[in-house]
Amino acid sequence: MDIGSETTAFPGMLRAARAFAPRTGHVLDREVLVTGFSQDASTALGLGRALQAGEDR
């Protein structure tokens, strides 16, 4: 498990989803809820910090 690579992958997926959604007639909210259980909890925390820092923009 590499928290750094997992954390950097998610903002990229969010950017891709936000770019794709309007093409299909969908609107995505900017608010993102992040959760993790057991080993994924550390990734969720890292992702939360990355999102707060604006890395999804």
Side-chain angles (χ1 to χ4, degrees), residues 4-5 13 15-16 18 20-21 25 28 30 42-43 46-47 50-52 56:
S5 63
M13 287 189 280
R15 285 189 294 273
R18 288 179 181 139
F20 179 75
L28 300 181
R30 294 280 317 160
S42 57
T43 300
L47 176 58
L51 293 174
Q52 287 178 337
D56 63 320

Side-chain angles (χ1 to χ4, degrees), residues 2-57:
D2 181 28
I3 296 169
S5 63
E6 291 178 19
T7 298
T8 57
F10 284 107
M13 287 189 280
L14 285 173
R15 285 189 294 273
R18 288 179 181 139
F20 179 75
R23 298 181 203 166
T24 62
H26 294 85
V27 178
L28 300 181
D29 191 347
R30 294 280 317 160
E31 185 175 310
V32 177
L33 302 176
V34 179
T35 185
F37 179 75
S38 190
Q39 294 155 329
D40 291 332
S42 57
T43 300
L45 288 171
L47 176 58
R49 289 183 187 117
L51 293 174
Q52 287 178 337
E55 291 185 25
D56 63 320
R57 295 181 185 167

